[in-house]
Amino acid sequence: MGTIDGPGGLAMHPHSCHPACPPGTALRAVTARLGDAALCYLGGTLDPDDAEAARDALDRTLAMPCPLICVDLRDLGFCSCTGLNLFLQARLTARQAGRTLVLLSPSPQVERLLRLSETEDLFPVQPDVRHALATRMAEPVATAA
């Protein structure tokens, strides 16, 4: 997928609001609010040395008052078990607040990590924020019995 020029001349993905980050590079973490969605983009490499920066980005995203938390992992070329634990904790935090955490386009390496750890069924996956919002809007509203 190509990129487009974004604010300040940063290369941006054409279907999202985050800067492009080639896999295999240092961790890049960006957070943004897009309407009813809070977005955390993580690209590059997420290993134990990067855990604090990734946790901070996830915490900033979870602090946004949005019903939908999206974690964009399309450019995360490497993710250790430390990263997986961060995603699991963020999911738990979101659920406890009555919110939904969705993974956006996990990279093949992240998909493999989720599959091998048998956690892939814990995370809804969508291709982008627009689809995540549309899916959330289509979900039935729970009513009191």
Side-chain angles (χ1 to χ4, degrees):
M1 177 184 319
T3 60
I4 58 174
D5 289 332
L10 290 174
M12 307 288 277
H13 283 284
H15 301 295
S16 67
C17 71
H18 60 77
C21 184
T25 61
L27 181 72
R28 177 152 173 99
V30 178
T31 60
R33 182 170 178 173
L34 301 170
D36 286 338
L39 175 68
C40 178
Y41 165 81
L42 298 172
T45 300
L46 200 172
D47 58 27
D49 293 337
D50 301 304
E52 187 174 338
R55 182 180 301 108
D56 289 347
L58 288 165
D59 287 348
R60 282 193 312 273
T61 306
L62 288 162
M64 294 179 200
C66 298
L68 181 64
I69 308 299
C70 297
V71 183
D72 188 334
L73 303 174
R74 76 185 70 234
D75 293 329
L76 196 60
F78 175 79
C79 182
S80 70
C81 292
T82 301
L84 175 60
N85 286 329
L86 291 174
F87 303 148
L88 290 167
Q89 182 59 51
R91 176 187 172 271
L92 180 62
T93 301
R95 285 183 58 127
Q96 288 173 340
R99 302 182 321 162
T100 303
L101 185 137
V102 175
L103 302 181
L104 302 181
S105 297
S107 68
Q109 195 277 337
V110 173
E111 286 179 340
R112 183 173 187 268
L113 176 63
L114 295 171
R115 188 174 58 256
L116 291 174
S117 63
E118 298 181 357
T119 58
E120 72 269 31
D121 292 337
L122 297 177
F123 297 97
V125 174
Q126 292 293 330
D128 54 39
V129 174
R130 185 183 48 148
H131 283 90
L133 283 167
T135 300
R136 187 172 198 293
M137 296 300 291
E139 293 175 356
V141 176
T143 57

Coordinates of all heavy atoms in Angstrom, one line a residue, residues 26-116:
A26 N 12.5 0.9 14.9 CA 12.1 1.2 16.3 C 10.6 1.4 16.4 O 10.0 1.9 15.5 CB 12.9 2.4 16.8
L27 N 10.1 1.2 17.6 CA 8.7 1.4 17.9 C 8.3 2.8 17.6 O 9.0 3.7 18.0 CB 8.4 1.0 19.3 CG 6.9 1.1 19.7 CD1 6.1 0.0 19.0 CD2 6.7 1.1 21.2
R28 N 7.2 2.9 16.9 CA 6.6 4.2 16.7 C 5.1 4.1 17.2 O 4.4 3.2 16.9 CB 6.5 4.6 15.2 CG 5.8 5.9 15.0 CD 6.3 6.6 13.8 NE 5.5 7.8 13.5 CZ 5.9 9.0 13.8 NH1 7.0 9.2 14.5 NH2 5.1 10.0 13.5
A29 N 4.8 5.0 18.1 CA 3.4 5.0 18.7 C 2.8 6.3 18.6 O 3.4 7.4 18.9 CB 3.6 4.6 20.2
V30 N 1.6 6.3 18.0 CA 0.8 7.5 17.8 C -0.6 7.3 18.3 O -1.2 6.2 18.0 CB 0.8 7.9 16.3 CG1 -0.1 9.1 16.0 CG2 2.2 8.0 15.7
T31 N -1.2 8.3 18.9 CA -2.6 8.2 19.4 C -3.4 9.3 18.8 O -2.9 10.4 18.5 CB -2.7 8.2 20.9 OG1 -2.2 9.4 21.4 CG2 -2.0 7.1 21.5
A32 N -4.7 9.0 18.5 CA -5.6 10.0 18.0 C -7.0 9.7 18.3 O -7.3 8.5 18.6 CB -5.4 10.1 16.4
R33 N -7.8 10.7 18.2 CA -9.3 10.4 18.4 C -9.9 10.7 17.0 O -9.7 11.7 16.4 CB -9.9 11.4 19.4 CG -11.4 11.1 19.6 CD -11.9 11.8 20.8 NE -13.4 11.5 20.8 CZ -14.1 11.9 21.8 NH1 -13.6 12.5 22.9 NH2 -15.4 11.6 21.8
L34 N -10.8 9.7 16.6 CA -11.5 9.8 15.4 C -13.0 9.6 15.7 O -13.5 8.5 15.6 CB -11.0 8.8 14.4 CG -9.6 8.8 14.0 CD1 -9.1 7.6 13.2 CD2 -9.3 10.1 13.2
G35 N -13.7 10.7 16.0 CA -15.1 10.6 16.3 C -15.3 9.8 17.6 O -14.8 10.1 18.6
D36 N -16.0 8.7 17.5 CA -16.3 7.8 18.6 C -15.2 6.7 18.8 O -15.4 5.8 19.6 CB -17.7 7.1 18.4 CG -18.8 8.0 18.6 OD1 -18.7 9.0 19.3 OD2 -19.9 7.7 18.1
A37 N -14.1 6.8 18.1 CA -13.0 5.9 18.2 C -11.8 6.5 18.7 O -11.4 7.6 18.3 CB -12.8 5.2 16.9
A38 N -11.1 5.9 19.6 CA -9.8 6.3 20.1 C -8.8 5.3 19.4 O -9.0 4.1 19.4 CB -9.6 6.1 21.6
L39 N -7.8 5.9 18.7 CA -6.8 5.0 17.9 C -5.4 5.1 18.5 O -4.9 6.1 18.9 CB -6.8 5.6 16.5 CG -5.8 4.9 15.6 CD1 -6.2 3.5 15.3 CD2 -5.7 5.7 14.3
C40 N -4.9 3.9 18.6 CA -3.5 3.7 19.0 C -2.8 3.0 17.9 O -3.1 1.8 17.6 CB -3.3 2.9 20.3 SG -1.6 2.7 20.8
Y41 N -1.8 3.7 17.2 CA -1.1 3.0 16.1 C 0.3 2.6 16.7 O 1.0 3.4 17.4 CB -0.8 4.0 15.0 CG 0.2 3.6 14.0 CD1 0.0 2.7 13.1 CD2 1.5 4.1 14.1 CE1 1.0 2.3 12.2 CE2 2.5 3.7 13.3 CZ 2.2 2.8 12.3 OH 3.2 2.4 11.4
L42 N 0.6 1.4 16.5 CA 1.9 0.9 17.0 C 2.6 0.2 15.7 O 2.1 -0.7 15.1 CB 1.8 -0.2 18.1 CG 1.2 0.3 19.4 CD1 0.9 -0.9 20.3 CD2 2.1 1.3 20.0
G43 N 3.8 0.8 15.4 CA 4.5 0.2 14.2 C 6.0 0.0 14.6 O 6.5 0.5 15.5
G44 N 6.6 -0.8 13.8 CA 8.0 -1.2 14.0 C 8.2 -2.4 14.8 O 7.6 -3.5 14.4
T45 N 8.9 -2.3 15.9 CA 9.2 -3.5 16.8 C 8.8 -3.2 18.2 O 9.1 -2.2 18.7 CB 10.7 -3.7 16.7 OG1 11.1 -4.0 15.4 CG2 11.1 -4.9 17.6
L46 N 8.0 -4.2 18.8 CA 7.6 -4.0 20.1 C 8.2 -5.2 20.9 O 7.7 -6.3 20.9 CB 6.1 -4.1 20.2 CG 5.4 -3.5 21.5 CD1 3.9 -3.4 21.4 CD2 5.8 -4.1 22.8
D47 N 9.3 -4.9 21.6 CA 10.0 -5.9 22.5 C 10.0 -5.4 23.9 O 9.5 -4.3 24.1 CB 11.3 -6.3 21.9 CG 12.3 -5.1 21.8 OD1 12.1 -4.1 22.5 OD2 13.2 -5.1 20.9
P48 N 10.6 -6.1 24.8 CA 10.5 -5.6 26.2 C 11.1 -4.2 26.4 O 10.7 -3.5 27.3 CB 11.4 -6.7 27.0 CG 11.1 -7.9 26.2 CD 11.1 -7.5 24.8
D49 N 12.1 -3.8 25.6 CA 12.7 -2.5 25.7 C 11.7 -1.4 25.3 O 11.9 -0.3 25.7 CB 13.9 -2.4 24.8 CG 15.1 -3.3 25.3 OD1 15.1 -3.6 26.5 OD2 15.9 -3.6 24.4
D50 N 10.7 -1.7 24.5 CA 9.7 -0.8 24.1 C 8.4 -0.8 24.9 O 7.5 -0.1 24.6 CB 9.4 -1.0 22.6 CG 10.6 -0.9 21.7 OD1 11.3 0.1 21.8 OD2 10.9 -1.9 21.0
A51 N 8.4 -1.7 25.9 CA 7.1 -1.9 26.6 C 6.6 -0.6 27.2 O 5.3 -0.3 27.1 CB 7.3 -3.0 27.6
E52 N 7.4 0.2 27.8 CA 6.9 1.4 28.5 C 6.3 2.4 27.5 O 5.2 2.9 27.8 CB 8.1 2.1 29.2 CG 7.6 3.2 30.1 CD 8.7 3.8 31.0 OE1 9.7 3.1 31.3 OE2 8.5 5.0 31.4
A53 N 6.9 2.6 26.3 CA 6.4 3.5 25.3 C 5.1 3.0 24.8 O 4.1 3.7 24.6 CB 7.4 3.7 24.2
A54 N 5.0 1.7 24.6 CA 3.7 1.1 24.1 C 2.6 1.2 25.1 O 1.5 1.5 24.8 CB 3.9 -0.4 23.7
R55 N 3.0 0.9 26.4 CA 2.0 1.0 27.5 C 1.5 2.4 27.6 O 0.3 2.7 27.8 CB 2.6 0.6 28.8 CG 1.6 0.6 30.0 CD 2.2 0.2 31.3 NE 2.7 -1.2 31.2 CZ 4.0 -1.5 31.3 NH1 5.0 -0.6 31.3 NH2 4.4 -2.8 31.2
D56 N 2.4 3.4 27.5 CA 2.0 4.8 27.6 C 1.0 5.2 26.5 O 0.0 5.8 26.7 CB 3.2 5.7 27.5 CG 4.1 5.7 28.8 OD1 3.6 5.1 29.8 OD2 5.2 6.2 28.7
A57 N 1.3 4.7 25.3 CA 0.4 5.0 24.1 C -1.0 4.3 24.3 O -2.0 4.9 24.1 CB 1.0 4.5 22.8
L58 N -1.0 3.1 24.8 CA -2.2 2.4 25.1 C -3.0 3.1 26.2 O -4.2 3.3 26.1 CB -2.0 0.9 25.4 CG -1.6 0.1 24.2 CD1 -1.0 -1.3 24.7 CD2 -2.7 -0.2 23.2
D59 N -2.3 3.5 27.2 CA -2.9 4.2 28.3 C -3.5 5.5 27.9 O -4.7 5.9 28.3 CB -2.0 4.5 29.5 CG -1.6 3.2 30.3 OD1 -2.3 2.2 30.1 OD2 -0.7 3.2 31.1
R60 N -2.8 6.3 27.0 CA -3.4 7.5 26.5 C -4.6 7.3 25.7 O -5.6 8.0 25.8 CB -2.3 8.3 25.6 CG -1.3 9.0 26.4 CD -0.4 9.9 25.5 NE 0.0 9.3 24.2 CZ 1.2 8.6 24.1 NH1 2.0 8.4 25.2 NH2 1.5 8.2 22.9
T61 N -4.6 6.2 24.9 CA -5.8 5.8 24.1 C -6.9 5.5 25.0 O -8.1 5.9 24.8 CB -5.4 4.7 23.1 OG1 -4.3 5.1 22.4 CG2 -6.5 4.4 22.2
L62 N -6.7 4.6 26.0 CA -7.7 4.2 26.9 C -8.3 5.4 27.7 O -9.4 5.3 28.2 CB -7.2 3.1 27.8 CG -7.0 1.8 27.2 CD1 -6.1 0.9 28.0 CD2 -8.3 1.1 26.9
A63 N -7.5 6.4 27.9 CA -8.0 7.6 28.7 C -8.9 8.5 27.9 O -9.6 9.3 28.4 CB -6.8 8.4 29.1
M64 N -9.0 8.3 26.5 CA -9.9 9.1 25.7 C -11.3 8.6 25.9 O -11.6 7.4 26.0 CB -9.5 8.9 24.2 CG -8.2 9.5 23.9 SD -7.9 9.3 22.1 CE -6.1 9.5 22.1
P65 N -12.3 9.5 26.1 CA -13.7 9.1 26.4 C -14.4 8.6 25.1 O -15.3 9.2 24.7 CB -14.3 10.3 27.0 CG -13.5 11.4 26.3 CD -12.1 10.9 26.1
C66 N -14.0 7.4 24.6 CA -14.6 6.9 23.4 C -15.1 5.5 23.7 O -14.4 4.7 24.4 CB -13.6 6.8 22.3 SG -12.9 8.4 21.8
P67 N -16.2 5.1 23.1 CA -16.7 3.7 23.3 C -15.9 2.6 22.6 O -15.9 1.5 23.0 CB -18.1 3.8 22.8 CG -18.1 4.9 21.8 CD -17.1 5.9 22.3
L68 N -15.1 3.0 21.6 CA -14.4 2.1 20.8 C -12.9 2.4 20.8 O -12.5 3.6 20.6 CB -14.9 2.2 19.3 CG -14.2 1.2 18.3 CD1 -14.5 -0.3 18.7 CD2 -14.7 1.5 16.9
I69 N -12.1 1.4 21.2 CA -10.6 1.6 21.2 C -10.1 0.7 20.1 O -10.3 -0.5 20.0 CB -10.1 1.0 22.6 CG1 -10.8 1.7 23.8 CG2 -8.6 1.2 22.6 CD1 -10.7 3.2 23.9
C70 N -9.3 1.4 19.2 CA -8.7 0.7 18.0 C -7.2 0.7 18.2 O -6.6 1.7 18.4 CB -9.1 1.4 16.7 SG -10.9 1.4 16.4
V71 N -6.6 -0.5 18.0 CA -5.2 -0.6 18.1 C -4.7 -1.1 16.7 O -5.0 -2.2 16.3 CB -4.7 -1.6 19.2 CG1 -3.2 -1.7 19.3 CG2 -5.3 -1.2 20.5
D72 N -4.1 -0.2 16.0 CA -3.6 -0.4 14.6 C -2.3 -1.1 14.7 O -1.3 -0.5 15.1 CB -3.6 0.9 13.8 CG -3.3 0.7 12.4 OD1 -2.7 -0.3 12.0 OD2 -3.7 1.5 11.6
L73 N -2.2 -2.3 14.2 CA -1.0 -3.1 14.2 C -0.5 -3.6 12.9 O 0.3 -4.5 12.7 CB -1.2 -4.4 15.1 CG -1.7 -4.1 16.5 CD1 -2.1 -5.4 17.2 CD2 -0.7 -3.3 17.3
R74 N -0.9 -2.9 11.8 CA -0.6 -3.3 10.5 C 0.9 -3.2 10.2 O 1.5 -4.0 9.4 CB -1.3 -2.5 9.4 CG -0.9 -1.1 9.2 CD -1.7 -0.3 8.3 NE -3.0 0.0 8.9 CZ -4.2 -0.3 8.4 NH1 -4.3 -0.8 7.2 NH2 -5.3 0.0 9.0
D75 N 1.6 -2.3 10.9 CA 3.1 -2.1 10.6 C 3.9 -2.7 11.8 O 5.1 -2.3 11.9 CB 3.4 -0.7 10.4 CG 2.8 -0.1 9.1 OD1 2.7 -0.9 8.2 OD2 2.4 1.1 9.1
L76 N 3.3 -3.4 12.7 CA 4.1 -4.0 13.8 C 4.8 -5.2 13.3 O 4.2 -6.3 13.2 CB 3.2 -4.3 15.0 CG 3.9 -4.5 16.3 CD1 4.7 -3.2 16.7 CD2 2.9 -4.8 17.4
G77 N 6.1 -5.1 12.9 CA 6.8 -6.2 12.3 C 7.3 -7.2 13.3 O 7.5 -8.4 12.9
F78 N 7.4 -6.9 14.5 CA 7.8 -7.8 15.6 C 7.0 -7.4 16.8 O 7.0 -6.3 17.2 CB 9.3 -7.8 15.8 CG 9.6 -8.7 17.0 CD1 9.7 -10.1 16.8 CD2 9.9 -8.2 18.3 CE1 10.0 -11.0 17.9 CE2 10.1 -9.1 19.3 CZ 10.2 -10.4 19.2
C79 N 6.5 -8.4 17.5 CA 5.8 -8.2 18.8 C 6.1 -9.4 19.7 O 5.8 -10.5 19.4 CB 4.3 -8.1 18.6 SG 3.4 -7.8 20.1
S80 N 6.8 -9.1 20.8 CA 7.1 -10.1 21.8 C 5.9 -10.4 22.7 O 4.9 -9.8 22.6 CB 8.3 -9.6 22.7 OG 7.9 -8.6 23.5
C81 N 6.1 -11.4 23.5 CA 5.0 -11.7 24.5 C 4.7 -10.5 25.4 O 3.6 -10.4 25.9 CB 5.4 -12.9 25.3 SG 5.4 -14.4 24.3
T82 N 5.7 -9.7 25.6 CA 5.5 -8.4 26.4 C 4.4 -7.6 25.7 O 3.5 -7.1 26.4 CB 6.8 -7.6 26.5 OG1 7.8 -8.5 27.1 CG2 6.6 -6.4 27.3
G83 N 4.4 -7.4 24.4 CA 3.4 -6.7 23.7 C 2.1 -7.4 23.8 O 1.0 -6.7 24.0
L84 N 2.0 -8.7 23.7 CA 0.8 -9.4 23.8 C 0.2 -9.2 25.2 O -1.0 -8.9 25.3 CB 1.0 -10.9 23.6 CG -0.2 -11.8 23.8 CD1 -1.3 -11.5 22.9 CD2 0.2 -13.3 23.7
N85 N 1.0 -9.2 26.2 CA 0.5 -8.9 27.5 C -0.1 -7.5 27.7 O -1.1 -7.3 28.3 CB 1.5 -9.2 28.6 CG 1.8 -10.7 28.8 OD1 0.9 -11.5 28.7 ND2 3.0 -11.0 29.1
L86 N 0.5 -6.6 27.0 CA 0.0 -5.2 27.0 C -1.4 -5.1 26.3 O -2.3 -4.5 26.8 CB 1.0 -4.2 26.3 CG 2.3 -4.0 27.0 CD1 3.2 -3.1 26.1 CD2 2.0 -3.3 28.3
F87 N -1.5 -5.9 25.2 CA -2.8 -5.9 24.5 C -3.9 -6.5 25.4 O -5.0 -6.1 25.4 CB -2.7 -6.6 23.1 CG -1.7 -6.1 22.2 CD1 -1.0 -6.9 21.3 CD2 -1.3 -4.7 22.2 CE1 -0.1 -6.4 20.5 CE2 -0.4 -4.2 21.4 CZ 0.3 -5.1 20.5
L88 N -3.5 -7.6 26.0 CA -4.5 -8.3 26.9 C -4.9 -7.4 28.1 O -6.1 -7.4 28.4 CB -3.9 -9.6 27.4 CG -3.7 -10.7 26.4 CD1 -2.8 -11.8 26.9 CD2 -5.1 -11.3 25.9
Q89 N -4.0 -6.7 28.6 CA -4.3 -5.8 29.7 C -5.2 -4.6 29.2 O -6.2 -4.3 29.9 CB -3.0 -5.2 30.4 CG -3.3 -4.3 31.6 CD -4.1 -5.0 32.7 OE1 -3.8 -6.0 33.1 NE2 -5.2 -4.3 33.1
A90 N -4.9 -4.1 28.1 CA -5.7 -3.0 27.5 C -7.1 -3.5 27.2 O -8.1 -2.8 27.5 CB -5.0 -2.5 26.2
R91 N -7.2 -4.7 26.7 CA -8.5 -5.3 26.5 C -9.3 -5.4 27.8 O -10.5 -5.1 27.8 CB -8.4 -6.7 25.8 CG -9.7 -7.5 25.6 CD -9.4 -8.9 25.2 NE -10.6 -9.6 25.1 CZ -11.1 -10.3 26.2 NH1 -10.5 -10.4 27.3 NH2 -12.3 -11.0 26.1
L92 N -8.7 -5.9 28.8 CA -9.4 -6.0 30.1 C -9.8 -4.7 30.6 O -10.9 -4.5 31.1 CB -8.4 -6.7 31.1 CG -9.0 -6.9 32.5 CD1 -10.2 -7.8 32.5 CD2 -7.9 -7.5 33.4
T93 N -8.9 -3.7 30.5 CA -9.2 -2.3 31.0 C -10.4 -1.8 30.2 O -11.3 -1.2 30.8 CB -8.0 -1.4 30.9 OG1 -6.9 -1.9 31.6 CG2 -8.3 0.0 31.3
A94 N -10.4 -2.0 28.9 CA -11.5 -1.5 28.1 C -12.8 -2.2 28.5 O -13.9 -1.5 28.7 CB -11.2 -1.7 26.6
R95 N -12.8 -3.5 28.6 CA -14.0 -4.2 29.0 C -14.6 -3.8 30.3 O -15.8 -3.7 30.5 CB -13.7 -5.7 29.0 CG -13.6 -6.3 27.6 CD -13.4 -7.8 27.7 NE -14.5 -8.4 28.5 CZ -15.2 -9.4 28.0 NH1 -15.0 -9.9 26.9 NH2 -16.2 -9.9 28.8
Q96 N -13.7 -3.6 31.3 CA -14.1 -3.1 32.6 C -14.8 -1.8 32.6 O -15.6 -1.5 33.4 CB -12.9 -3.1 33.6 CG -12.4 -4.5 34.0 CD -11.2 -4.5 34.8 OE1 -10.4 -3.5 34.8 NE2 -10.9 -5.6 35.5
A97 N -14.5 -1.0 31.6 CA -15.1 0.3 31.4 C -16.3 0.2 30.4 O -16.9 1.3 30.1 CB -14.1 1.3 30.9
G98 N -16.7 -1.0 30.0 CA -17.8 -1.1 29.1 C -17.5 -0.7 27.7 O -18.4 -0.3 26.9
R99 N -16.2 -0.8 27.3 CA -15.8 -0.3 26.0 C -15.3 -1.5 25.2 O -15.0 -2.6 25.8 CB -14.8 0.8 26.1 CG -15.4 1.9 26.9 CD -14.6 3.2 27.0 NE -13.2 3.0 27.3 CZ -12.3 3.9 27.1 NH1 -12.7 5.1 26.7 NH2 -11.0 3.7 27.3
T100 N -15.1 -1.4 23.9 CA -14.7 -2.5 23.1 C -13.3 -2.1 22.5 O -13.0 -1.0 22.1 CB -15.6 -2.6 21.9 OG1 -16.9 -2.9 22.3 CG2 -15.2 -3.8 21.0
L101 N -12.4 -3.1 22.6 CA -11.0 -2.9 22.0 C -11.0 -3.8 20.8 O -11.3 -5.0 20.8 CB -9.9 -3.3 23.0 CG -8.5 -3.1 22.5 CD1 -7.7 -2.5 23.6 CD2 -7.9 -4.4 22.0
V102 N -10.6 -3.2 19.7 CA -10.5 -3.9 18.4 C -9.1 -3.7 17.8 O -8.5 -2.7 18.0 CB -11.5 -3.2 17.4 CG1 -11.3 -3.8 16.0 CG2 -12.9 -3.3 17.9
L103 N -8.6 -4.8 17.3 CA -7.3 -4.8 16.6 C -7.5 -4.5 15.1 O -8.4 -5.1 14.5 CB -6.5 -6.1 16.7 CG -6.2 -6.6 18.1 CD1 -5.4 -7.9 18.1 CD2 -5.5 -5.5 18.9
L104 N -6.8 -3.5 14.6 CA -6.9 -3.2 13.2 C -5.7 -3.8 12.4 O -4.6 -3.6 12.7 CB -6.8 -1.6 13.0 CG -7.9 -0.8 13.7 CD1 -7.7 0.6 13.4 CD2 -9.3 -1.3 13.4
S105 N -6.1 -4.6 11.4 CA -5.1 -5.2 10.5 C -3.8 -5.7 11.1 O -2.7 -5.2 10.8 CB -4.8 -4.2 9.3 OG -6.0 -3.9 8.6
P106 N -3.9 -6.6 12.0 CA -2.6 -7.1 12.6 C -1.7 -7.6 11.6 O -2.1 -8.3 10.6 CB -3.1 -8.2 13.6 CG -4.5 -8.1 13.7 CD -5.0 -7.3 12.6
S107 N -0.4 -7.3 11.7 CA 0.6 -7.8 10.8 C 0.6 -9.4 10.8 O 0.1 -10.0 11.8 CB 2.0 -7.3 11.1 OG 2.4 -7.8 12.3
P108 N 1.2 -10.0 9.8 CA 1.3 -11.5 9.8 C 2.0 -12.0 11.1 O 1.6 -13.0 11.7 CB 2.0 -11.8 8.6 CG 1.7 -10.7 7.6 CD 1.6 -9.5 8.5
Q109 N 3.0 -11.3 11.6 CA 3.7 -11.7 12.8 C 2.8 -11.7 14.0 O 2.8 -12.5 14.8 CB 5.0 -10.9 13.0 CG 6.0 -11.5 13.9 CD 5.7 -11.2 15.4 OE1 5.0 -10.2 15.7 NE2 6.1 -12.1 16.3
V110 N 2.0 -10.6 14.1 CA 1.1 -10.5 15.2 C 0.0 -11.5 15.1 O -0.4 -12.1 16.1 CB 0.5 -9.0 15.3 CG1 -0.5 -8.9 16.4 CG2 1.6 -8.0 15.6
E111 N -0.5 -11.7 13.9 CA -1.5 -12.8 13.8 C -1.0 -14.1 14.2 O -1.7 -14.9 14.9 CB -2.0 -12.9 12.3 CG -2.9 -11.8 11.9 CD -3.3 -11.9 10.4 OE1 -2.6 -12.6 9.6 OE2 -4.3 -11.3 10.1
R112 N 0.3 -14.4 13.9 CA 0.9 -15.7 14.3 C 1.0 -15.7 15.8 O 0.7 -16.8 16.4 CB 2.3 -15.8 13.6 CG 3.0 -17.1 13.9 CD 4.2 -17.2 13.1 NE 4.8 -18.6 13.3 CZ 5.7 -18.9 14.2 NH1 6.2 -17.9 15.0 NH2 6.2 -20.1 14.3
L113 N 1.4 -14.7 16.4 CA 1.6 -14.6 17.9 C 0.2 -14.9 18.6 O 0.1 -15.6 19.5 CB 2.1 -13.3 18.3 CG 2.2 -13.0 19.8 CD1 3.2 -14.0 20.5 CD2 2.7 -11.6 20.1
L114 N -0.8 -14.2 18.1 CA -2.2 -14.4 18.6 C -2.6 -15.9 18.4 O -3.2 -16.5 19.4 CB -3.2 -13.5 17.9 CG -3.0 -12.0 18.2 CD1 -3.9 -11.2 17.3 CD2 -3.2 -11.7 19.7
R115 N -2.3 -16.5 17.3 CA -2.7 -17.9 17.0 C -2.0 -18.8 17.9 O -2.6 -19.7 18.6 CB -2.5 -18.2 15.5 CG -3.0 -19.5 15.1 CD -2.9 -19.8 13.6 NE -1.5 -19.7 13.1 CZ -1.0 -18.6 12.5 NH1 -1.7 -17.6 12.2 NH2 0.3 -18.6 12.1
L116 N -0.6 -18.7 18.0 CA 0.2 -19.6 18.8 C -0.2 -19.5 20.3 O 0.0 -20.4 21.1 CB 1.7 -19.3 18.6 CG 2.2 -19.7 17.2 CD1 3.6 -19.3 17.1 CD2 2.1 -21.2 17.0

